[in-house]
Amino acid sequence: MTQHFPAAFQDLEAFAGWALGSRDARYKRRLGSTMGAIRAFYDAVRPRMEAIIAYLNPRPLEALAEEERRLLWLALAWMDASRAVEVLGAPDVRYGFAADRFTIRDLAPL
Amino acid sequence: MGNIDPAVHVWTQKYNMSTAPISIDRYVSAEYFRLEQERVFKKSWLLLGREEEIAKPGDFFVHDVEVAGTSILITRDQQGQIRAFHNICRHRANKVSFEACGHAEGFVCPFHGWTYGLDGRLAYVPDENDFFGLDRSKLGLVPVHVALWEGFIFVNLDRQPATDLGGYLGEIKDMYDGYFSTLQLISRHSWEMNTNWKLFMDVSVEGYHGSYVHRDSIADQFCEADNPNLNLPSIRLYGTHRTVSIPADLSRIPKPFEGLSYKYGSGSSYTPTKELNVSDGLPPGINPDRVGSWAFDILSLMPNMIFLTGRGVCVMIGSWPLGVDRTRIDSRIYLNPPQTAAQRVCAEYTATMLRDVIREDVDTLEPVQRALRSGAMSEMQMSDQEIACRHFHQVLDRMIGTADPTPDLAREAAHAG
């Protein structure tokens, strides 16, 4: 089986589908998921976020290995999914301009 | 000016502003839009980008300015000077650059190969001898006035601008010293919508909508128990531009993912806590009245720019008219550059929050535009808390030349106060 994340985070392999490399893709994942799926992802990663940050933080962002980069993407997706769980109580805002009419260009380092 | 209660209508009193309803014609009238095109967008300083987008000689970007019927090419020439031109070949008026941005030695018109330098000079014409007395020295790209402020590139399409950029910025010119230079572009959102461009300008400078439009998302970060309607603690109406400050509820307990963001973040004040609510060291334009429970400010820069300025975070939004009821929004998020994974994760908190909140902000606008077109209403009511919207329209009328002849009442009243 392919290992997506560093060895210390193999418990999160089941959620590798969230480790997407653009904010737009992560957003579409959130919007296209049921609340149950979002919550399962949120619950699994929440107790691991401090460990993920502690693991990645000493490493230069521009020099992350492939599995480290995917772990960062997973953490970024968790921030997006948390909004659905902790704030909205739904995959999307209740009254929002159509998400698919937005063009999102992600310019932050990945 | 009737019906003003000085104890309630403090801003209207302070700035000696009108209380009259706002006419709806200005959002739907083709004639008013034509006046905006001719007297506002073709005469004002327009913000098209930032210096660092063209950091090196040869870097360029193109910004279409549909409202003025043109496309602008911005370059950094070999001497490092920033230049702006109409993106139009002097031969038969094709676009010289179809690329949105890039790096080039010069520009070759794809129609017949006329070639221009980064300084706009016409360098080469294929089969030049076949023309009749062609003087290449007079056929460079048509230049446009360009000027810089705090790293932002402005152009003015008028042949003889009425004021230089400093005069246009007025009081705010020296209030943001160095603020923007520490921030880095981390995300851009753009979209088109079937609304008049001013509806976005209106929704961006009042807090009154906060506890309704944002009730499911962020209202609780800003609405303190004694301020359920998100009354603004600071409103500054300048001669041409305006700022408002948004309050923060510092007693609120952050949710888990917010707590993580605050813990590792770079001190963004869109996510206010007691610890992060610090205005020390910020230039005078940021939290200008040094409000204690402060989240961020909104700067509305005529004609069409909105800045959300906080500690370590800024969003810059352009509302670009494409027609009387068609608008393109270009929204850019700037943050302290994330250096570590933790800071990168926190940047994501801010970027995803802003994306959802902006979607809420603009969700009302297309239904509003349709309703304005219906003819059911002829005017809109605006409260004391919506005075910055009113000021925007007053200045716009002044630029167009339809205002009453007392344009500087607001400024004079503020200075007197």
Side-chain angles (χ1 to χ4, degrees):
Chain A
M1 194 178 110
T2 310
Q3 287 187 3
H4 292 87
F5 306 125
F9 296 95
Q10 285 178 22
D11 56 307
L12 301 176
E13 281 293 327
F15 300 97
W18 288 86
L20 298 163
S22 78
R23 186 173 306 126
D24 195 29
R26 294 188 291 269
Y27 197 29
K28 288 191 169 80
R29 174 91 189 196
R30 187 189 101 182
L31 298 180
S33 297
T34 63
M35 219 34 223
I38 295 171
R39 181 169 278 287
F41 168 55
Y42 171 86
D43 288 343
V45 176
R46 182 179 165 187
R48 303 287 278 140
M49 277 298 285
E50 292 278 5
I52 292 172
I53 287 172
Y55 181 87
L56 293 176
N57 232 23
R59 295 162 162 77
L61 277 177
E62 64 279 8
L64 293 179
E66 196 58 30
E67 67 274 15
E68 293 166 347
R69 190 176 304 275
R70 282 196 289 262
L71 187 64
L72 176 60
W73 292 345
L74 190 80
L76 301 181
W78 185 83
M79 287 311 268
D80 207 338
S82 295
R83 186 163 301 286
V85 173
E86 296 185 17
V87 179
L88 303 174
D92 197 5
V93 295
R94 186 153 44 143
Y95 301 105
F97 188 78
D100 60 8
R101 290 173 63 187
F102 262 52
T103 304
I104 298 177
R105 284 169 56 197
D106 192 347
L107 300 154
L110 274 172
Chain B
M1 297 289 286
N3 305 321
I4 294 180
D5 177 348
V8 178
H9 307 120
V10 291
W11 300 110
T12 305
Q13 176 85 6
K14 175 175 180 179
Y15 291 112
N16 193 22
M17 288 283 281
S18 160
T19 60
I22 302 292
S23 163
I24 282 170
D25 278 352
R26 62 181 46 239
Y27 300 98
V28 298
S29 153
E31 173 58 13
Y32 194 84
F33 183 67
R34 189 188 66 76
L35 292 171
E36 289 174 344
Q37 290 180 285
E38 297 302 321
R39 299 184 186 177
V40 179
F41 284 91
K42 290 184 181 177
K43 302 285 184 185
S44 299
W45 287 95
L46 304 175
L47 197 167
L48 299 192
R50 277 194 65 77
E51 259 189 306
E52 58 263 26
E53 293 175 58
I54 46 171
K56 300 186 297 297
D59 289 352
F60 71 92
F61 70 84
V62 170
H63 195 301
D64 291 339
V65 185
E66 293 88 344
V67 64
T70 191
S71 167
I72 301 296
L73 172 63
I74 311 274
T75 71
R76 190 181 288 273
D77 71 17
Q78 295 298 358
Q79 280 66 49
Q81 188 179 341
I82 292 177
R83 294 171 177 268
F85 309 97
H86 287 280
N87 182 21
I88 298 172
C89 178
R90 294 297 301 276
H91 173 218
R92 281 168 52 192
N94 189 37
K95 264 190 175 182
V96 170
S97 175
F98 283 83
E99 300 291 325
C101 60
H103 182 86
E105 303 270 307
F107 302 95
V108 181
C109 176
F111 201 173
H112 302 91
W114 283 36
T115 301
Y116 301 87
L118 295 162
D119 56 1
R121 185 175 48 89
L122 177 58
Y124 173 70
V125 173
D127 210 2
E128 183 173 349
N129 290 337
D130 205 41
F131 284 89
F132 307 96
L134 198 74
D135 182 351
R136 279 194 279 113
S137 71
K138 293 180 176 162
L139 291 171
L141 295 174
V142 177
V144 171
H145 295 278
V146 61
L148 296 173
W149 173 70
E150 296 292 336
F152 292 104
I153 301 168
F154 288 76
V155 301
N156 193 312
L157 303 177
D158 201 356
R159 285 181 200 280
Q160 296 288 334
T163 61
D164 62 13
L165 178 59
Y168 183 77
L169 293 167
E171 296 93 327
I172 70 160
K173 182 168 79 73
D174 300 319
M175 293 179 70
Y176 292 84
D177 188 25
Y179 168 74
F180 299 101
S181 64
T182 59
L183 302 175
Q184 181 183 46
L185 181 63
I186 66 142
S187 189
R188 282 182 78 160
H189 301 160
S190 59
W191 67 94
E192 293 184 9
M193 53 187 186
N194 299 315
T195 69
N196 184 268
W197 66 281
K198 296 186 293 298
L199 287 181
F200 183 81
M201 300 303 290
D202 288 345
V203 77
S204 301
V205 287
E206 45 94 355
Y208 189 37
H209 73 273
S211 54
Y212 292 89
V213 164
H214 303 306
R215 61 190 173 279
D216 297 330
S217 56
I218 53 161
D220 67 321
Q221 296 185 24
F222 306 111
C223 295
E224 297 168 287
D226 61 353
N227 187 11
N229 292 314
L230 201 58
N231 281 355
L232 303 172
S234 161
I235 298 176
R236 288 193 170 205
L237 307 183
Y238 298 108
T240 303
H241 316 287
R242 60 209 62 81
T243 66
V244 305
S245 294
I246 304 294
D249 180 1
L250 302 181
S251 66
R252 176 178 170 275
I253 295 168
K255 296 182 166 71
F257 82 134
E258 295 165 353
L260 202 67
S261 172
Y262 303 163
K263 181 174 172 183
Y264 293 108
S266 42
S268 146
S269 68
Y270 285 167
T271 53
T273 62
K274 284 195 177 69
E275 295 72 30
L276 294 175
N277 184 59
V278 179
S279 301
D280 298 348
L282 293 172
I286 309 297
N287 192 5
D289 290 320
R290 292 303 191 250
V291 171
S293 299
W294 172 70
F296 64 95
D297 310 307
I298 298 163
L299 162 65
S300 160
L301 188 72
M302 292 302 281
N304 69 327
M305 298 306 297
I306 295 289
F307 293 80
L308 314 181
T309 57
R311 169 172 282 281
V313 54
C314 174
V315 180
M316 179 181 90
I317 313 174
S319 183
W320 291 98
L322 303 176
V324 64
D325 53 9
R326 184 83 178 158
T327 298
R328 182 181 64 247
I329 304 288
D330 180 26
S331 163
R332 309 180 192 200
I333 303 173
Y334 296 85
L335 291 177
N336 284 333
Q339 309 287 350
T340 64
Q343 290 173 358
R344 180 65 188 83
V345 168
C346 301
E348 201 67 4
Y349 167 82
T350 304
T352 56
M353 181 265 279
L354 286 166
R355 178 202 58 207
D356 282 357
V357 168
I358 289 172
R359 282 182 54 218
E360 288 180 329
D361 274 323
V362 301
D363 187 47
T364 58
L365 304 186
E366 288 189 341
V368 167
Q369 183 72 26
R370 286 194 293 273
L372 296 181
R373 275 214 168 280
S374 75
M377 285 166 55
S378 59
E379 55 191 26
M380 283 195 277
Q381 310 298 318
M382 284 196 181
S383 74
D384 190 57
Q385 277 290 315
E386 292 165 303
I387 194 171
C389 308
R390 187 184 292 284
H391 182 247
F392 165 78
H393 290 288
Q394 184 189 65
V395 173
L396 194 66
D397 280 343
R398 192 176 81 210
M399 294 169 105
I400 286 174
T402 56
D404 67 42
T406 53
D408 288 323
L409 270 182
R411 178 160 49 172
E412 288 162 14
H415 287 180

